Amino acid sequence: MTRDTTPAELEQTLADAAEAAVPLAASAPAVRAGWIRAVADALDAASGELVPIAQRETSLPEARLKGEVGRSSGQLRMFADALEAGPLLEVIIDTADAAAKPVPRPDLRRVLVPLGPVLVFAASNFPFAFSVCGGDTASALAAGCPVIVKAHPGHPELSVRTAEVMIEALTAAGAPAGTLGLIQGYDVGVTALKDARITAAGFTGSVPAGKALHEIAVTRPEPIPFYGELGSLNPVFVTQAAIDARGKDIASGYVGSYTLGVGQFCTKPGLLFLPAGHGLQEQLVEATGGVAAATMLNERIAEGFSSGLDRLRKVDGLRVWSEGGGATLLQTTVGELLARSDEILEECFGPVSIVVEYASVDELVAGIEAFGGNLTATLHAEDADASLAARLVPLLTARAGRVLWNGWPTGVAVSWAQHHGGPFPSTVGSIHTSVGVTAARRFQRPVAYQDAPDALLPAVLQDDNPAGMSRRVNGTVTTAEVSR
Amino acid sequence: MTRDTTPAELEQTLADAAEAAVPLAASAPAVRAGWIRAVADALDAASGELVPIAQRETSLPEARLKGEVGRSSGQLRMFADALEAGPLLEVIIDTADAAAKPVPRPDLRRVLVPLGPVLVFAASNFPFAFSVCGGDTASALAAGCPVIVKAHPGHPELSVRTAEVMIEALTAAGAPAGTLGLIQGYDVGVTALKDARITAAGFTGSVPAGKALHEIAVTRPEPIPFYGELGSLNPVFVTQAAIDARGKDIASGYVGSYTLGVGQFCTKPGLLFLPAGHGLQEQLVEATGGVAAATMLNERIAEGFSSGLDRLRKVDGLRVWSEGGGATLLQTTVGELLARSDEILEECFGPVSIVVEYASVDELVAGIEAFGGNLTATLHAEDADASLAARLVPLLTARAGRVLWNGWPTGVAVSWAQHHGGPFPSTVGSIHTSVGVTAARRFQRPVAYQDAPDALLPAVLQDDNPAGMSRRVNGTVTTAEVSR
C-alpha cells in the first residue's frame, strides 16, 4: 500500500510503539543486539529484491544502491557491537566514598536508557542509508527505542517492502511487536510528531521542511528533541601550492564529487575556491561537459533543481562556465560573492557548483568567513602551506562538523569517530551526529541509581559486570568488577 | 552596582564574550584547566567575604553557605581534572582502513569543541552552586565557552561580588578578557537570549519562566539549545516492610528532607507514599511541628509559597495534619490523588509536603503511574521486598533521572556518575544533566578531522598524544600513541 496512512492505522501504530517501549527498555543489551543483527542479515538477504525496487523508484544505479544496502546493514551491526560491548550505554559508576568532602558520597551508577518511541522522517536521496533502514532507525533501535518511520514519498514501495523485511526479521528474532512501524503522508507525519507518545524525532531533508517540523516538535505542550539535518554548501578551499602540485587531479576530483549521485548528496561540494590564475577553467569545463545527463530522484527534486538553476543564472556576478548535459558549472569571485552572499550562498540541490576565485590570502579568509554552518569544509593544501593552513583550520572548524584535507566531502564513513552534523543551518542540534556510534545518544537519557541493592540494578550496573562491559568506574574506563 | 544592565553595557558584554570565544576555543586543555582551578582557589579564598553577603541576601545559614562554596569550588576542580585527563573532550580516533567494506575508510579524528558564548540564568535557591559560580558556569568554562551570567535578583550583591572575584582570578591566570560576564535584569536576559552571539543557554528556575525562555531560544532565527531545569515533585514510596523495619527513621528523615533549606530545594520530596495503617501520623506531625520557622530566600518566593499553601488547603481530599511554625504537612489517599491529580501534583516550592496513603500494591503502582517527569524518585524497601521492588523500579526509571534507595533526594553529589535531570517537565532536555562531568557536553559540539596531517591537528588528536590523554582509538579507550 502506498497511500496515506489512515487515522485509525496511525493510532494503532502509535499504540503499538508505546506498548513496545516497555519490553524494549527492559531488553538486555546482548538480546537487543541480536535483534538488530537479525535485521542486518535480513536486509542483506533481501538486497536482490529491494535494489530493483529502489532503482525503479529513485533512478539511482544498481551498484550505488547495492553499496548502500551494505552500508546500512554494516551500520546496524556497528550499533549492535557498541551496544553489546557497553560503550553505547555509557555506564558510569562511582562507588560510595564516606570521606568525600564537603559531604560523603553515595554509591551512584549511571546508565543511558531509551527515551521511548522515536519518529524518523526519511530522506529521499539515500533510499536505504537515510531512509527506513538508515542511521536514525539503527541508532534509535540500538538505544532501545521503538521507531516509527514516516516514509519518503519518493520511494514508497521500497519503504513498505523494506519495513516488511525488517519487521519480519524482528518478529522472528523475538523483538516486541511494535518495535518498528511505517506511516505515509506529510500530514500524517505532522500528526504523529504532535502525539504525546512520540518522545523524539529525526529528520533529513530541506531547510524549510526541517524548520517547520522543528518548531512543531519544540513548541508541543511537552517539547521533544528534534534532530534535523537540513542544508549544507560544503565549500572546498584550494591553495596555490595545491594547484601547482596537482591541479588537474583537483579539477577532476571536484567535478566527480559535485556530480556524484546526480549532485543529490547533502555533502555535495557547492563551491570551490581557487586562486585567481589557477589555469584550470578548461579542464573543469571539459570534465563538467563530460558528465552524462541522468534522471533525478523524483519530479519534485528535478523541478526544484531546474528553478534553482534559473535563479542562479540570473544572479549578477555569476557566470556560466559550462551547462547542458549532466552538470552546470558557474564562476564568480570572492568580491562578487561577498556583495551578493545571500543569493550565491543559497543551496541548489543537484549537479551544479560554483568556482570562486580569490586574489589574495585575505580574500580567501574573507571567503571562508562568509559561511555559516556546514556539514563539511574541505582544504586542499600542501606541506608548504603549513602556516596558512594553521590560520585557516580554526576558521573551518568554527563553521563545519567535518573538516577534510585533500579529499572530497561526498562519502560519509560509518565509524566510531564519524561526525555528520554541523552548526545551524546544516543541522538543528549541532551537538549531535546522525552517523557514527554516538548517534544513539540522541535517543537516550541518563538515569542514575543511588545506593541501590545490586540485585535490583540493571545487569550492566551490577558489581560483577556479568556481561563484561566497558564501564567508567571511579573515573577510569574498565571491564573489571566493582567492589563496594 | 545592583541595577539593570544598560543596553550599552549589555552590548559590550556580548561583544567581549564573542571576542573571547576564539582564544578560549584555541586554549590548550591543561591551560584552561589551570584557569578554572584559579577560579576555584579564588572562591575558596573569598569565602569569608562572600558568605556573609549571601547570608544577608538569602537568609540561608552560614554553615550551609560555607558548604556550598566548597561544593562549587570542588565542582570547578572536578571539571578541570576531567578536561586535563581527556574524558571531557571525548576524543575518538579511527585510523584509516583501506580494507574496510563497502568502501575504504579514511583517518577520522573527532573531538568536542566549544559552542561559543553561553548565557546562564542563575537560580535563587543555591546562591553559589546554581548561581554565578555554579555548575552551568563551571561546565561551560570547562567546555571552552565564554559565560555570561544573568544574575538572580534574589542575591544581586553576592552575584556582582562573586563575578568580580572570578574575573579577577581569570585575568590573573591569563584567561582572555570576556571569559566571564554578568548582566542584571529580566528583560536584559531576554535580549541577550535573542542575540545571535549567544550559542546556548542554561536555566534553573520555575516552570513558567523556563518554558517562556525555552520558547524564545528555540524559535530564534538561529535556534540554540536551551537547558532548563524546571520543577520536580520528587515522590518517595515506602513499602510495608520498610515501615515495619524502620518506620520512625523514615518519618524523621522525611521531615528533615522536605524542610531542609526551608523546603527550597529542587529535589525536595513533595509526596510520601505510605501503606494505610502505617501508624506514623503522630511522629510525622510531631517532627513537622518541631521545625522552626525560617525566612525564605526572598519576598517573591515567600509570597508564592503562601499562595501555594492557600491553594492546597482548598483542594478537596487534602487534609492538614500539621501547620503553623516552620512547615506544613498534608495528607490524602491514592484514590483522592488520582481524582484530583492536576491540583495535587502541582509543585509548591517551600516547606510543605503531602503524605499519600495506599491500600494495596495496585494502588501504589497506580500512584506511581500518576507522575510525569521528575528529577528524582525514591524507594524505601527491604530485602524481603525484592519482587515488589523489581516491579516498581522500571516504573520509577521511566519517570525520573535519579532513582534512590532508602535515602532522601535532597543533596546532589557532584561526581562522574551523577545525573541531575529528568523527563519533562522536570527539565527541558532530559538527555542532559546539569551536575556531573557530562554536564559539559551541553556546551560542546563534535568536529571530525578527516585525513588531516598530524601537525595541523589539535594536540589532543595528534598521533603521539602529547598530553597523555584518555582517547578512544579504533573502538578502545587508551592513552597510547597512535600509528598511522
Side-chain angles (χ1 to χ4, degrees):
Chain A
M1 59 159 208
T2 59
R3 54 164 177 76
D4 278 10
T5 301
T6 67
E9 288 164 347
L10 174 61
E11 171 55 32
Q12 188 64 50
T13 305
L14 288 162
D16 290 348
E19 196 174 327
V22 175
L24 265 174
S27 61
V31 172
R32 203 153 78 231
W35 300 338
I36 293 167
R37 291 193 188 105
V39 172
D41 294 345
L43 272 179
D44 284 340
S47 180
E49 178 200 349
L50 297 175
V51 165
I53 306 175
Q55 284 180 264
R56 192 174 71 239
E57 289 192 322
T58 67
S59 306
L60 292 169
E62 182 182 17
R64 142 76 191 274
L65 291 166
K66 279 186 173 171
E68 218 186 299
V69 173
R71 175 202 167 91
S72 303
S73 59
Q75 182 165 250
L76 284 157
R77 292 188 187 99
M78 176 190 75
F79 281 113
D81 291 348
L83 172 61
E84 195 161 9
L88 199 120
L89 299 173
E90 288 189 2
V91 172
I92 309 179
I93 297 174
D94 292 330
T95 55
D97 180 1
K101 299 287 173 196
V103 287
R105 192 177 74 189
D107 183 283
L108 280 169
R109 304 188 180 211
R110 168 195 184 269
V111 65
L112 300 186
V113 302
L115 284 181
V118 168
L119 180 62
V120 172
F121 289 85
S124 65
N125 59 340
F126 283 85
F128 295 103
F130 286 85
S131 188
V132 180
C133 61
D136 283 349
T137 300
S139 55
L141 289 177
C145 298
V147 175
I148 296 175
V149 179
K150 186 267 169 190
H152 195 282
H155 47 272
E157 283 184 45
L158 178 67
S159 300
V160 169
R161 190 61 196 123
T162 304
E164 285 170 353
V165 167
M166 294 171 72
I167 290 169
E168 190 180 343
L170 287 165
T171 305
T179 296
L180 183 70
L182 188 79
I183 59 176
Q184 295 182 77
Y186 182 82
D187 291 342
V188 176
V190 169
T191 302
L193 186 61
K194 292 177 178 170
D195 193 278
R197 288 164 288 194
I198 294 296
T199 59
F203 169 87
T204 306
S206 73
V207 175
K211 287 175 82 165
L213 294 172
H214 171 253
E215 184 141 336
I216 290 169
V218 296
T219 59
R220 293 169 22 142
E222 177 165 346
I224 57 172
F226 178 87
Y227 307 105
E229 189 205 312
L230 314 184
S232 185
L233 294 162
N234 309 299
V236 178
F237 305 93
V238 185
T239 68
Q240 183 64 53
I243 294 292
D244 296 343
R246 48 192 167 85
K248 289 187 180 185
D249 289 347
I250 290 172
S252 60
Y254 164 63
V255 175
S257 182
Y258 92 75
T259 62
L260 190 69
V262 203
Q264 301 166 125
F265 277 45
C266 48
T267 52
K268 178 200 83 174
L271 301 103
L272 177 74
F273 285 73
L274 297 177
H278 50 79
L280 292 176
Q281 179 173 356
E282 195 180 329
Q283 284 147 33
L284 288 165
V285 167
E286 193 180 332
T288 297
V291 175
T295 309
M296 297 192 79
L297 287 163
N298 56 58
E299 267 313 301
R300 192 153 155 262
I301 284 179
E303 282 163 17
F305 178 59
S306 175
S307 68
L309 270 189
D310 288 346
R311 187 186 64 72
L312 285 172
R313 275 205 203 84
K314 291 176 192 146
V315 174
D316 275 350
L318 274 187
R319 287 160 290 279
V320 175
W321 269 9
S322 177
E323 65 180 337
T328 300
L329 188 64
L330 306 168
Q331 180 267 353
T332 189
T333 64
V334 166
E336 290 167 309
L337 181 146
L338 295 178
R340 292 173 195 83
S341 61
D342 282 358
E343 294 169 84
I344 295 177
L345 297 183
E346 185 178 320
E347 187 181 5
C348 179
F349 193 76
V352 58
S353 193
I354 305 170
V355 170
V356 186
E357 294 176 350
Y358 64 86
S360 65
V361 167
D362 284 347
E363 273 204 8
L364 175 58
V365 168
I368 295 175
E369 290 178 340
F371 286 88
N374 275 276
L375 293 172
T376 73
T378 300
L379 181 63
H380 279 265
E382 295 296 301
D383 289 351
D385 290 316
S387 69
L388 172 60
R391 180 177 171 195
L392 301 185
V393 169
L395 301 177
L396 303 178
T397 299
R399 289 167 175 78
R402 182 162 53 110
V403 179
L404 297 89
W405 268 257
N406 299 346
W408 302 103
T410 40
V412 180
V414 177
S415 81
W416 256 104
Q418 186 56 277
H419 180 62
H420 191 59
F424 190 85
S426 67
T427 67
V428 182
S430 70
I431 74 172
H432 294 285
T433 181
S434 62
V435 179
V437 173
T438 52
R441 192 182 282 175
R442 298 175 297 165
F443 307 118
Q444 300 170 293
R445 66 179 175 86
V447 172
Y449 295 92
Q450 180 169 326
D451 289 333
D454 206 53
L456 287 174
L457 282 168
V460 296
L461 296 181
Q462 291 176 356
D463 288 351
D464 62 357
N465 193 14
M469 282 193 166
S470 170
R471 315 189 292 186
R472 184 178 294 277
V473 178
N474 294 324
T476 303
V477 176
T478 174
T479 57
E481 298 186 11
V482 170
S483 52
R484 299 201 183 209
Chain B
M1 60 161 203
T2 57
R3 52 161 178 79
D4 277 10
T5 301
T6 67
E9 289 165 345
L10 174 61
E11 171 55 32
Q12 189 63 51
T13 305
L14 287 162
D16 290 349
E19 197 174 326
V22 176
L24 265 175
S27 62
V31 172
R32 204 153 78 231
W35 299 339
I36 292 167
R37 291 193 187 104
V39 172
D41 294 344
L43 272 180
D44 284 340
S47 181
E49 178 199 349
L50 297 176
V51 165
I53 306 175
Q55 285 180 264
R56 192 175 69 240
E57 289 191 323
T58 67
S59 307
L60 292 170
E62 183 183 19
R64 140 79 191 270
L65 291 165
K66 279 186 172 171
E68 218 185 299
V69 173
R71 174 199 168 94
S72 303
S73 60
Q75 182 165 250
L76 285 156
R77 292 188 188 98
M78 176 191 74
F79 281 113
D81 292 347
L83 172 62
E84 194 161 10
L88 199 120
L89 299 172
E90 286 190 3
V91 172
I92 308 180
I93 296 176
D94 292 329
T95 55
D97 180 1
K101 300 288 172 196
V103 288
R105 193 177 73 189
D107 183 283
L108 281 169
R109 304 187 181 213
R110 169 194 183 270
V111 64
L112 300 186
V113 302
L115 285 181
V118 168
L119 180 62
V120 172
F121 289 86
S124 64
N125 58 341
F126 283 86
F128 295 103
F130 287 83
S131 187
V132 181
C133 61
D136 283 349
T137 300
S139 55
L141 289 177
C145 298
V147 175
I148 296 175
V149 178
K150 185 268 172 190
H152 195 282
H155 47 270
E157 283 185 45
L158 178 67
S159 300
V160 169
R161 189 61 196 125
T162 304
E164 285 171 353
V165 167
M166 294 171 73
I167 291 169
E168 190 180 344
L170 287 165
T171 304
T179 296
L180 183 69
L182 188 79
I183 59 176
Q184 294 182 79
Y186 182 81
D187 292 343
V188 176
V190 169
T191 302
L193 186 60
K194 293 177 178 170
D195 192 278
R197 289 164 288 195
I198 294 296
T199 60
F203 169 86
T204 306
S206 72
V207 175
K211 287 176 83 165
L213 294 171
H214 170 253
E215 184 142 335
I216 290 169
V218 295
T219 59
R220 295 169 20 142
E222 178 165 346
I224 58 171
F226 179 87
Y227 307 104
E229 189 204 312
L230 314 184
S232 185
L233 294 163
N234 309 299
V236 178
F237 305 93
V238 185
T239 67
Q240 182 64 53
I243 295 291
D244 295 343
R246 48 193 168 84
K248 289 187 179 183
D249 288 348
I250 290 172
S252 61
Y254 164 64
V255 175
S257 183
Y258 92 76
T259 62
L260 190 69
V262 203
Q264 301 165 123
F265 277 44
C266 47
T267 51
K268 177 199 84 174
L271 301 102
L272 177 74
F273 285 72
L274 297 178
H278 51 78
L280 293 175
Q281 179 173 355
E282 194 180 329
Q283 283 147 33
L284 288 164
V285 167
E286 192 182 332
T288 297
V291 175
T295 308
M296 296 193 79
L297 287 162
N298 56 58
E299 266 314 302
R300 194 155 152 261
I301 284 178
E303 283 162 16
F305 177 60
S306 175
S307 66
L309 269 190
D310 287 346
R311 186 186 62 74
L312 285 172
R313 274 205 204 84
K314 291 175 192 144
V315 174
D316 273 349
L318 274 187
R319 286 161 290 275
V320 174
W321 269 9
S322 176
E323 66 181 338
T328 300
L329 187 64
L330 306 169
Q331 180 266 353
T332 189
T333 64
V334 166
E336 289 167 309
L337 181 147
L338 295 178
R340 292 173 195 84
S341 61
D342 283 358
E343 294 168 85
I344 295 177
L345 298 183
E346 186 178 320
E347 187 181 4
C348 180
F349 193 77
V352 58
S353 194
I354 304 171
V355 170
V356 185
E357 295 176 352
Y358 63 88
S360 66
V361 167
D362 285 347
E363 273 203 9
L364 174 59
V365 168
I368 294 175
E369 290 179 340
F371 285 88
N374 275 275
L375 293 172
T376 72
T378 300
L379 181 62
H380 278 266
E382 296 295 301
D383 290 349
D385 290 316
S387 68
L388 171 62
R391 179 177 171 195
L392 302 185
V393 168
L395 302 177
L396 302 178
T397 300
R399 288 167 175 80
R402 182 162 53 110
V403 179
L404 298 90
W405 266 257
N406 299 346
W408 301 103
T410 41
V412 181
V414 177
S415 81
W416 255 105
Q418 186 56 277
H419 180 62
H420 191 59
F424 190 85
S426 66
T427 67
V428 181
S430 70
I431 74 173
H432 294 284
T433 181
S434 61
V435 178
V437 172
T438 53
R441 191 182 281 176
R442 298 175 296 166
F443 307 118
Q444 300 170 293
R445 67 179 174 88
V447 172
Y449 295 91
Q450 180 169 326
D451 289 333
D454 207 55
L456 288 174
L457 283 168
V460 295
L461 297 181
Q462 290 176 356
D463 288 352
D464 63 356
N465 193 13
M469 280 194 169
S470 170
R471 315 189 291 187
R472 184 178 294 277
V473 179
N474 294 323
T476 303
V477 177
T478 174
T479 57
E481 297 187 11
V482 171
S483 53
R484 300 201 184 210

